[in-house]
Amino acid sequence: MSSINSYETDIKKLRRSKRTKRFLRRLFAILAVLVVALLIYLTHDSWLPYFENILEEGYESATSTTLDEEEEESNFPFDVSSRSNVSIGAMRDCWVMFSDTSITTYDASGATIQSVYAPYGTPTVETSSTRALVYDMGGYSLMVISRRNEIFEKKLDDQILFAELGEKGNLAVITSTDKYVSYLTIYDKNGNEVFHWADGNYIMAVALNDSGTGCAVASLYTSGGILKTLAYVLDFSSTEIQAKSSAIETMALDIEFTDDGKIWLIGNDDLYLLESDCTVSYTYNYTYDISGFSAVDDLCALSFEMPGSDDNIVAIFEAGLDETAEITYNEEVKYILVNDDKVYLNTSSQIDCLDSSGNIESETALGAEYTSFVIYNGSAILLNYRSVVKTSLE
């Protein structure tokens, strides 16, 4: 009898042991899932943009074989005569247009990829290779999108003066606050605030470096009735100013980094090339009134109006070279743009592509006057008050 009782006791212990092990396995599995979920949540800021880029690159590769078919089914031209607030931009794998109350991305044929509602009163569009920014100049709202997704949207407490979008997805926003006439806030690629700065002057221009670690700033003040600009180099990981120029007697229109960390400072009456420590290494004095400008990396292009005539001068500068290429046009230069080490410009009759030495590489006739354009997929997408058209530059 005792042996039977002992046997039953052993069976019960065995069953109890199995149940305990089964319970522990389930508990450990649940804990493992929770740990993985927690890790995903805590680290999503670092891997989500990369995954997004992989998806976008895969989509671009998958759709590249159909571009010829898309061209045959082109949606151009776009009639924008009844639309308001129209502006355009270009990313690496799409182009964008803001009109009325929406920002829309398009493929090479002009087919809609996505459209996002953005009811801004004075919308301004900025683009990088992978993202587009639209902000309400003088308002309080901004939005960042990619080719197919809305990345983030913000409603600020202070009025937006202007903003710049960096290649790493970070964002520089200049606002007017109760304490400062101009206040710089840097947001990371996910929209988190990471840096603040002000010097008490009017911030006129900001350039984010390609690594996303810092920026150059041009601020304006008056002394003795003379406009003066200070150029700064800031590092987002430090509260210390990395470099500061002496006062430069000009009003800054734009500031941009060169490939090796020098700085283009485009003024209203002079062009300056600054060293990385903000000392002036080159100055170009304007003979005529500046009418257009564009600077990207080592290339800077300016256009000037000659008073008393229809002639315009285009001047092209390359960092590290003292020689300036100057070309005379016998008609108004409507818009000028540096893109991929080339200078593009349009007059009322044509759009030209020039190399860094000022040699014309291509001339494309235009059937109407256009106020601006972007370069995308080997073509120019041009905007005027009535339409958006596309013309091949090859």
Side-chain angles (χ1 to χ4, degrees), residues 1-6:
M1 186 70 175
S2 61
S3 61
I4 293 175
N5 291 336
S6 175

Side-chain angles (χ1 to χ4, degrees), residues 171-188:
L171 184 63
V173 181
I174 310 303
T175 55
S176 176
T177 72
D178 293 337
K179 187 176 180 181
Y180 297 101
V181 292
S182 296
Y183 189 69
L184 169 67
T185 302
I186 302 296
Y187 298 88
D188 67 14

Side-chain angles (χ1 to χ4, degrees), residues 167 210 254-259 264 266 293-301 317-319 336-343:
E167 275 300 313
D210 287 343
D254 197 12
I255 192 168
E256 294 291 339
F257 282 107
T258 67
D259 286 331
W264 296 110
I266 301 174
F293 56 86
S294 182
V296 177
D297 298 331
D298 285 350
L299 205 57
C300 177
F317 308 85
E318 193 169 5
I336 191 165
L337 177 68
V338 174
N339 183 274
D340 286 340
D341 298 324
K342 306 292 182 185
V343 177

Side-chain angles (χ1 to χ4, degrees), residues 231-243:
Y232 298 88
V233 175
L234 307 176
D235 187 320
F236 301 149
S237 64
S238 173
T239 58
E240 299 294 326
I241 294 172
Q242 304 302 298

Side-chain angles (χ1 to χ4, degrees), residues 363-383:
E363 295 177 315
T364 306
L366 298 176
E369 293 187 9
Y370 295 93
T371 55
S372 66
F373 62 87
V374 295
I375 305 300
Y376 167 63
N377 198 39
S379 298
I381 298 171
L382 300 107
L383 168 69

Side-chain angles (χ1 to χ4, degrees), residues 277-291:
D277 62 357
C278 289
T279 57
V280 177
S281 62
Y282 175 81
T283 305
Y284 177 84
N285 304 114
Y286 306 159
T287 304
Y288 308 107
D289 292 336
I290 187 171
S291 58

Side-chain angles (χ1 to χ4, degrees), residues 6 8 29 66 93 106 114 118 166 206 278 289 321 340 386:
S6 175
E8 289 177 349
T66 64
D93 51 6
Y106 298 92
Q114 72 159 334
V206 177
C278 289
D289 292 336
L321 300 178
D340 286 340
R386 297 179 300 276

